Amino acid sequence: MYALERVIDELSKGEIVFYESPKSELGDLTTSAAFKLAKIEKTSPERIAEKIKREIEKSPWISSIQIVKGYVNVFLKRLLFTKTVLGEALREDYGARDLGKGKTIVIDYSSPNVARPMHVGHLRSTILGGALHRIYSLLGYRVVGINYLGDVGTQFGKLIYAYKKWVNLRALEKEPIKELFRLYVKFHAEAEKRPELEEAAKEEYRRLEEGEEEHVKLWEKFRTLSIEGFKKVYDLFGINFDEISGESFYIEEAKKLAEELLEKEIAKIGEKGEKKNAVIADLEKWGLNHPVLLKSDGTTLYLSRDLAALVDRCKKYRFHKAIYVVGREQALHFKQLFKIAELMGLPCGNLYHLSFGHLRLPEGKMSTRKGRVIFAEEVLERAVNLAREEIKKRWNEDRPEDALKIGVAAVAYAILKSEPEKDIVFKWEKILSFEGETGPYLQYSLTRAKKILEKAGVEPNELSENFTVNSYEWELVKAIARFPLAVLQAAEKMRPHLLAKYAFSLADIFNKFYEKCPVLRSPPEKQVLRLLLVKAFYNTMKKALYLLLIPEPEQM
Ligand code: ARG
């Protein structure tokens, strides 16, 4: 347990739970338990508060206790607490725990579709999932990040047709996904004029399904090129997957599974209309309709393939929890998937759909090309360009590498700071600003701290036994002490925005400290404490930013 939790844990008992005071003037920790207990014991809150006070008075952490109405307000011993927190925060593994020891969490995230650019929905999934991946790893879980590609469907017939006819090999080499997407769009434009193309594409698809070598080779090529293309985005955020799979892996298994579900009477044969002779899951009882698992012609669907993939993950990883980071449009799909898994009695852990809202750009600011989707790469490019302009404006320098890191930070933070279920509207100026709740602001506070440490040049000495801690220093100590708890909360609630909000408050408190407390121009004893604080802040912030996929710029 880390310092803050340890203190809280030592003081709390049963109904009496201490928590951080909302205002420092009211003490560092407080409890309102006396009000509740007074009712039970039919006495006054003040009396109970006195009793609580007597019980905790001897704690070595406490310097004084004040009772205000029924609240028990505790002031901590600043020296002791500061020393303890610094000891923890200066370690390389600050925030780490073995909470997840022996447990596996599977996270299905990003999961874009082959031969199509990632859209902003995939970007949001990539960033949310990537952050959770790191957060759970820090807590000691074995995390398996899975990129489950959309690599099945009749669109591959169209693509093969278009490829044979119109591919521009040079463009394919330079920007494969763009070229594949161009072919796809062109196919549709042409097919509108010449409907017979649809038939030709169906024929190509049939040959692909039958495993004709040329067709399978092309499909593989589309897949490989797409993975390479997606990797460009992943590299920006330092994301690595443990498994790159895809729907295509599960076609055969999905067919078998449908049969199995028929036998177990979880599924039945459709009797009328479109679903006649199809294998359907009867989920009417739970208000989840009759989703099709196998069409009457024997082909599988998104749902049945996902089910087969889940069975596989369950066997392979024996996971404790599986999280699917996918937009809210697919809420029904995941309810159906999880319900069928439950009916099958799959021996695996909890299943969770981390659903999220839309990401939009301000109207008219950016072309969305032919379709209605906004491409992830365009968003990133735009952010990086704007960061580059900002750097030029501020420092009259061109620093493309830092621009990349700042642009990435702006996008990552804008996505992570908002609650997943909320829609996000990107306001470029706002998300790229060096002030306010933004990724660049966090980076800025980090580089400020780094500059101080570099200027100091030497490693700070040990703290002496009788240093003093003023209120700015104290707020910073407490903010640093909150880090492990912020990580824990974000993990337990599966909500990275809790950590993002924490990081912003940490930066804010550091900047107040920085304004009021000179570090290098302070008396020797103060200098030791302040340098250590800056160093602890730097470690903590760097770690928080790492968890939020935000890189550290060279200078800012
Ligand atoms: N490829 C899908 C899409 O772009 C997302 C897949 C999410 N993961 C899953 N296991 N279904 O909409």
Side-chain angles (χ1 to χ4, degrees):
M1 248 193 259
Y2 287 98
L4 185 57
E5 289 154 82
R6 204 153 77 225
V7 176
I8 288 177
D9 193 63
E10 274 177 40
L11 301 183
S12 303
K13 206 164 87 190
E15 291 281 339
I16 306 165
V17 178
F18 279 87
Y19 48 90
E20 278 197 84
S21 303
K23 278 195 197 137
S24 283
E25 305 89 83
L26 300 176
D28 302 313
L29 301 175
T30 190
T31 179
S32 60
F35 298 101
K36 202 171 166 196
L37 290 174
K39 270 193 203 134
I40 298 168
E41 296 182 23
K42 301 208 165 52
T43 174
S44 73
E46 285 81 358
R47 268 213 141 113
I48 302 277
E50 284 297 339
K51 217 167 104 191
I52 297 175
K53 179 179 172 188
R54 277 196 301 279
E55 271 174 39
I56 59 172
E57 228 158 24
K58 292 218 178 66
S59 160
W61 296 103
I62 296 180
S63 88
S64 68
I65 302 173
Q66 278 173 9
I67 293 174
V68 179
K69 294 189 188 124
Y71 287 95
V72 185
N73 297 338
V74 168
F75 293 82
L76 297 176
K77 276 188 192 150
R78 291 188 177 186
L79 259 65
L80 176 64
F81 192 72
T82 299
K83 275 204 155 178
T84 315
V85 171
L86 284 175
E88 291 172 353
L90 289 169
R91 291 181 46 166
E92 202 40 58
D93 65 347
Y94 189 38
R97 299 176 196 252
D98 55 12
L99 190 76
K101 217 171 154 190
K103 289 183 183 154
T104 300
I105 296 186
V106 166
I107 312 181
D108 178 319
Y109 66 103
S110 194
S111 306
N113 302 318
V114 164
R116 308 257 187 121
M118 269 197 228
H119 57 66
V120 284
H122 297 123
L123 183 64
R124 197 164 176 183
S125 168
T126 304
I127 289 172
L128 272 170
L132 283 176
H133 195 148
R134 290 188 180 179
I135 290 172
Y136 287 117
S137 300
L138 185 65
L139 298 182
Y141 291 92
R142 175 172 76 128
V143 184
V144 183
I146 300 180
N147 196 357
Y148 179 73
L149 301 174
D151 55 1
V152 171
T154 49
Q155 72 270 25
F156 287 99
K158 299 175 184 172
L159 198 56
I160 290 174
Y161 180 91
Y163 183 93
K164 288 187 185 167
K165 277 252 145 80
W166 304 304
V167 71
N168 173 342
L169 286 172
R170 204 165 315 137
L172 189 73
E173 198 172 317
K174 248 177 106 192
E175 289 189 282
I177 298 178
K178 266 198 187 149
E179 175 60 9
L180 292 174
F181 190 63
R182 183 189 71 84
L183 291 172
Y184 184 73
V185 171
K186 184 167 169 75
F187 178 88
H188 281 274
E190 294 290 323
E192 234 164 70
K193 287 179 262 168
R194 292 189 287 148
E196 66 273 18
L197 291 197
E198 296 286 353
E199 278 311 308
K202 269 194 196 138
E203 176 57 19
E204 300 288 11
Y205 185 63
R206 199 188 53 75
R207 292 167 71 179
L208 171 65
E209 278 214 311
E210 277 169 7
E212 222 163 277
E213 198 182 314
E214 185 199 6
H215 290 67
V216 173
K217 277 231 167 88
L218 276 178
W219 172 83
E220 275 169 0
K221 182 170 183 166
F222 300 153
R223 201 173 183 279
T224 314
L225 287 173
S226 301
I227 292 173
E228 275 167 27
F230 298 144
K231 196 167 175 299
K232 274 196 230 152
V233 172
Y234 301 145
D235 284 348
L236 288 178
F237 296 98
I239 285 175
N240 278 306
F241 290 94
D242 304 283
E243 181 185 306
I244 298 183
S245 74
E247 296 179 38
S248 65
F249 289 37
Y250 296 104
I251 295 173
E252 290 315 310
E253 285 308 310
K255 288 181 187 165
K256 277 190 222 149
L257 206 57
E259 294 303 325
E260 202 184 306
L261 291 175
L262 269 180
E263 261 165 48
K264 288 190 178 150
E265 292 181 8
I266 295 170
K268 61 181 190 186
I269 301 287
E271 280 160 13
K272 49 181 189 274
E274 265 189 5
K275 295 183 182 173
K276 194 168 157 66
N277 293 333
V279 178
I280 59 180
D282 186 359
L283 306 178
E284 199 64 53
K285 246 195 273 175
W286 298 278
L288 300 174
N289 311 340
H290 295 96
V292 176
L293 298 171
L294 212 56
K295 286 196 218 160
S296 55
D297 66 1
T299 47
T300 60
L301 284 110
Y302 183 49
L303 179 62
S304 39
R305 295 190 288 269
D306 234 342
L307 194 62
L310 174 55
V311 172
D312 181 48
R313 291 170 192 184
C314 183
K315 263 196 228 140
K316 253 202 306 218
Y317 302 119
R318 300 246 149 254
F319 58 79
H320 160 78
K321 181 151 86 181
I323 307 172
Y324 293 81
V325 191
V326 186
R328 68 166 168 244
E329 304 75 36
Q330 297 192 21
L332 177 62
H333 168 80
F334 285 105
K335 279 190 191 143
Q336 292 170 333
L337 177 66
F338 298 168
K339 183 48 87 183
I340 300 172
E342 185 194 318
L343 295 173
M344 287 173 68
L346 279 191
C348 50
N350 293 326
L351 305 174
Y352 196 87
H353 174 203
L354 177 57
S355 146
F356 54 81
H358 294 280
L359 200 169
R360 282 191 303 252
L361 300 173
E363 286 298 339
K365 280 276 167 67
M366 198 158 85
S367 80
T368 55
R369 300 253 184 106
K370 299 264 149 46
R372 272 155 296 149
V373 291
I374 305 164
F375 299 145
E377 269 191 281
E378 287 183 333
V379 168
L380 288 163
E381 232 166 71
R382 173 88 181 244
V384 171
N385 286 340
L386 287 170
R388 200 158 168 182
E389 278 167 28
E390 182 67 25
I391 291 174
K392 276 189 197 146
K393 210 160 71 196
R394 279 181 176 247
W395 298 293
N396 208 7
E397 277 176 346
D398 187 23
R399 294 206 305 269
E401 270 166 35
D402 275 350
L404 201 65
K405 289 176 177 167
I406 293 169
V408 159
V411 171
Y413 193 80
I415 286 176
L416 289 173
K417 81 163 187 187
S418 90
E419 291 176 54
E421 40 290 288
K422 292 220 167 111
D423 288 350
I424 301 174
V425 181
F426 263 19
K427 299 205 178 89
W428 292 107
E429 257 151 65
K430 226 173 166 179
I431 70 169
L432 274 148
S433 164
F434 284 27
E435 281 138 46
E437 234 187 305
T438 68
Y441 173 68
L442 301 185
Q443 289 176 313
Y444 185 54
S445 73
L446 187 72
T447 47
R448 255 185 174 181
K450 191 171 73 180
K451 259 184 229 156
I452 300 174
L453 296 171
E454 278 169 4
K455 266 198 196 150
V458 289
E459 282 290 301
N461 292 331
E462 290 264 313
L463 276 175
S464 71
E465 281 313 310
N466 47 5
F467 58 96
T468 55
V469 183
N470 73 23
S471 64
Y472 296 104
E473 295 155 351
W474 184 233
E475 288 308 317
L476 184 55
V477 170
K478 288 201 286 181
I480 291 170
R482 255 168 239 140
F483 172 67
L485 273 173
V487 177
L488 194 63
Q489 275 175 357
E492 279 175 349
K493 302 205 164 112
M494 277 179 257
R495 296 167 79 74
H497 78 276
L498 295 170
L499 183 63
K501 297 265 165 201
Y502 161 78
F504 172 66
S505 81
L506 176 65
D508 224 27
I509 290 170
F510 173 73
N511 285 334
K512 283 193 189 111
F513 158 86
Y514 177 90
E515 271 162 33
K516 301 285 183 197
C517 306
V519 178
L520 301 173
R521 281 174 296 112
S522 55
E525 189 48 49
K526 268 286 161 198
Q527 203 183 85
V528 175
L529 171 66
R530 288 180 184 170
L531 267 180
L532 285 170
L533 275 175
V534 174
K535 203 168 169 197
F537 164 78
Y538 178 78
N539 277 1
T540 309
M541 189 50 122
K542 192 158 174 182
K543 199 122 231 185
L545 294 188
Y546 168 79
L547 298 176
L548 299 170
L549 310 180
I550 296 179
E552 179 180 17
E554 279 312 310
Q555 30 170 322
M556 257 181 108

